Amino acid sequence: MKKKGSLIVISGFSGAGKGTVAKRLVKDYGYSLSVSATTRAPREGEVDGVDYYFKSEADFKNLIDYNGFIEYARYVDNYYGTPRAFVEKELAAGKNVILEIEVQGALNIKDQYPDAILIFITAPSVEALKARLIGRGTEEEAVVAKRMKRASEEAEEIDNYEYIVINDDLDECVHNVHSIVVSRRCELKQNLDFIEETKKGFEQI
Ligand code: 5GP
């Protein structure tokens, strides 16, 4: 019997570099990355179907009605949601699936998938975070201010996560996240079927 993949929820403040971490997990370790749908306008260089599925509000609401999302949330004036079909297909195929989503979505996932691994990624300091957001140059000042305010609210939610990883050195951060996933997959309670099979195997000798 094929073991199901793990569902890994990566959250973190805007500018913490979680998108880069997720892409490296795909490249280095073969994880699957869920592409979310959003009503936010594309940033320069973002590609529909790669970075997000960019939707009108009407299309997004239609998908909600058809149970097309495993979770969705509103974040700084826009909707974001995780398409259901891809996640379920990949997990069933034994792939580790990453959701890069915000806090409300993460908690919603944990309710539905109790084995999901909730990881919070953060920059080494609040100053570093603000510098990265400004340095990215994709957001206007007012949006940076809104995102910093939202980040301060999200800081209150860190306690809901199971792991925190500081993204100071990218290689180390990626390695640490993968180590968390590997260790979780080795937990006894994640391998009850295998243990049962092993015991049965001995009975038959
Ligand atoms: P951004 O606009 O910077 O791409 O994303 C804003 C926030 O929305 C980030 O914290 C990101 O992780 C989160 N986000 C992206 N996709 C989803 C999703 O499908 N569901 C939820 N709940 N949050 C998402």
Side-chain angles (χ1 to χ4, degrees), residues 36 40 43 52 71 75 80-82 100-102 147:
S36 295
R40 161 166 87 56
R43 292 191 187 116
Y52 280 106
E71 64 74 37
Y75 179 94
Y80 295 82
T82 305
E100 191 214 313
I101 62 178
E102 52 66 70
R147 283 176 180 250

Side-chain angles (χ1 to χ4, degrees), residues 49 69 85 95 97 108-109 119 124 145-146 158 174 184:
F69 296 122
K95 300 274 267 182
V97 180
N108 192 337
I109 290 291
I119 303 176
K146 255 188 169 180
I158 294 179
V174 171
R184 260 300 185 87

Side-chain angles (χ1 to χ4, degrees), residues 10-15 18-19 34-38 40-41 43 46 51-52 54 60 69 71-76 78-83 99-106 108-109 133 136 139 147 150 154:
I10 292 187
S11 303
F13 306 124
S14 191
K18 54 194 187 301
S34 159
V35 177
S36 295
T38 184
R40 161 166 87 56
R43 292 191 187 116
E46 284 185 333
D51 299 287
Y52 280 106
F54 294 101
F60 194 99
F69 296 122
E71 64 74 37
Y72 69 92
R74 215 174 151 79
Y75 179 94
V76 189
N78 286 297
Y79 284 106
Y80 295 82
T82 305
L99 309 183
E100 191 214 313
I101 62 178
E102 52 66 70
V103 174
Q104 301 164 58
N108 192 337
I109 290 291
L133 258 186
R136 188 154 81 180
E139 252 78 49
R147 283 176 180 250
R150 181 65 191 241
E154 283 181 341

Side-chain angles (χ1 to χ4, degrees), residues 148-194:
M148 284 303 288
K149 181 172 173 291
R150 181 65 191 241
S152 78
E153 289 160 15
E154 283 181 341
E156 299 299 318
E157 309 278 355
I158 294 179
D159 300 348
N160 292 305
Y161 283 77
E162 297 164 308
Y163 300 92
I164 181 160
V165 180
I166 295 170
N167 184 15
D168 198 357
D169 176 275
L170 179 63
D171 285 335
E172 194 180 326
C173 179
V174 171
H175 172 78
N176 286 349
V177 172
H178 181 58
S179 303
I180 289 166
V181 176
V182 171
S183 114
R184 260 300 185 87
R185 288 183 71 78
C186 293
E187 270 182 7
L188 275 189
K189 67 174 180 157
Q190 304 294 338
N191 292 279
L192 296 180
D193 290 340
F194 175 78

Side-chain angles (χ1 to χ4, degrees), residues 23-111:
K23 287 194 184 92
R24 279 283 303 273
L25 288 164
V26 172
K27 186 165 153 273
D28 295 1
Y29 299 108
Y31 288 39
S32 291
L33 179 59
S34 159
V35 177
S36 295
T38 184
T39 58
R40 161 166 87 56
R43 292 191 187 116
E44 209 179 312
E46 284 185 333
V47 177
D48 188 37
V50 175
D51 299 287
Y52 280 106
Y53 296 105
F54 294 101
K55 302 275 177 205
S56 66
E57 198 155 317
D59 285 351
F60 194 99
K61 287 191 169 152
N62 207 20
L63 280 164
I64 297 174
D65 290 345
Y66 282 97
N67 199 23
F69 296 122
I70 52 177
E71 64 74 37
Y72 69 92
R74 215 174 151 79
Y75 179 94
V76 189
D77 303 335
N78 286 297
Y79 284 106
Y80 295 82
T82 305
R84 179 180 300 282
F86 175 83
V87 172
E88 291 185 345
K89 174 171 75 69
E90 295 293 283
L91 288 177
K95 300 274 267 182
N96 292 331
V97 180
I98 309 171
L99 309 183
E100 191 214 313
I101 62 178
E102 52 66 70
V103 174
Q104 301 164 58
L107 297 180
N108 192 337
I109 290 291
K110 191 71 189 174
D111 278 347

